[in-house]
Amino acid sequence: MTAHDPPRSRYVRPNEDEGERLDRHWNELLQELRLAQTGTQILFAFLLSIAFTNRFQDADRYTHVIFACTLVASALAMGLFLAPVSFHRIVFQKHLRDRMIPLADRMARGGLILLLVAISGGVLLALDVVVSRPIALTLVGLVFVWFISLWYILPTWIRRSDSGQ
């Protein structure tokens, strides 16, 4: 270890029982979902509002198809981010948290994928108005790679590099 290496630490809670661990995981997931839900709901509201503008009504078929796909991806993402709340309400006090958390995790992961599609579509819709379509597509491709890098590649790399320790 050099002076520039961050200290290695495994965060553990030695006195935490299974119920406390499940409660902590649920609370951490809820905090993450709050952030994702808010952003997705704002994007969804923005998309709904532009559908009724005169300029959008006059747009070409390509724009309408991109809009439709983006709106649906945003709605589906919002549904996946809100699903754990509904799930929790239905199974509340049924002692199913051990089954609920892995499902809610998968819903959140699916929601993030759909949110990435919706963000990319929203950026494409906006850029298509101000730059040429090929430039807009190139820029959206870069935005998409940026998100993939931060949301998936970097965490996967850190996870894999740490698994050998």
Side-chain angles (χ1 to χ4, degrees):
M1 182 189 264
T2 68
H4 300 292
D5 291 337
R8 285 232 172 251
S9 166
R10 295 235 182 246
Y11 182 70
V12 294
R13 295 181 181 211
N15 299 326
E16 184 178 55
D17 66 26
E18 184 66 12
E20 291 169 331
R21 186 183 67 78
L22 289 170
D23 288 344
R24 179 173 53 84
H25 286 191
W26 178 245
N27 286 328
E28 289 171 356
L29 181 61
L30 287 180
Q31 290 298 336
E32 294 165 2
L33 288 173
R34 282 186 185 105
L35 180 65
Q37 286 170 348
T38 302
T40 306
Q41 289 167 339
I42 291 168
L43 176 59
F44 186 71
F46 163 74
L47 290 168
L48 287 176
S49 69
I50 65 168
F52 301 102
T53 64
N54 288 336
R55 185 164 183 173
F56 180 77
Q57 305 272 327
D58 297 334
D60 62 2
R61 178 164 170 69
Y62 173 85
T63 301
H64 288 165
V65 169
I66 295 299
F67 172 80
C69 293
T70 302
L71 182 66
V72 169
S74 179
L76 294 174
M78 192 168 48
L80 283 172
F81 290 143
L82 291 170
V85 175
S86 174
F87 193 103
H88 181 259
R89 284 294 91 208
I90 292 170
V91 302
F92 183 66
Q93 294 185 340
K94 300 294 182 194
H95 308 287
L96 296 172
R97 190 160 289 193
D98 60 327
R99 294 177 60 198
M100 179 180 67
I101 292 172
L103 289 172
D105 172 65
R106 285 189 210 104
M107 292 173 193
R109 290 173 190 254
L112 285 171
I113 292 168
L114 289 167
L115 178 57
L116 175 57
V117 170
I119 289 170
S120 298
V123 171
L124 180 56
L125 287 170
L127 287 175
D128 195 46
V129 173
V130 296
V131 297
S132 70
R133 193 158 283 164
I135 291 173
L137 289 167
T138 301
L139 291 173
V140 167
L142 292 172
V143 167
F144 188 84
V145 168
W146 174 259
F147 275 92
I148 291 289
S149 297
L150 292 176
W151 287 9
Y152 299 102
I153 295 173
L154 180 61
T156 301
W157 178 72
I158 294 293
R159 186 176 184 157
R160 286 189 180 152
S161 69
D162 193 53
S163 66
Q165 302 299 322

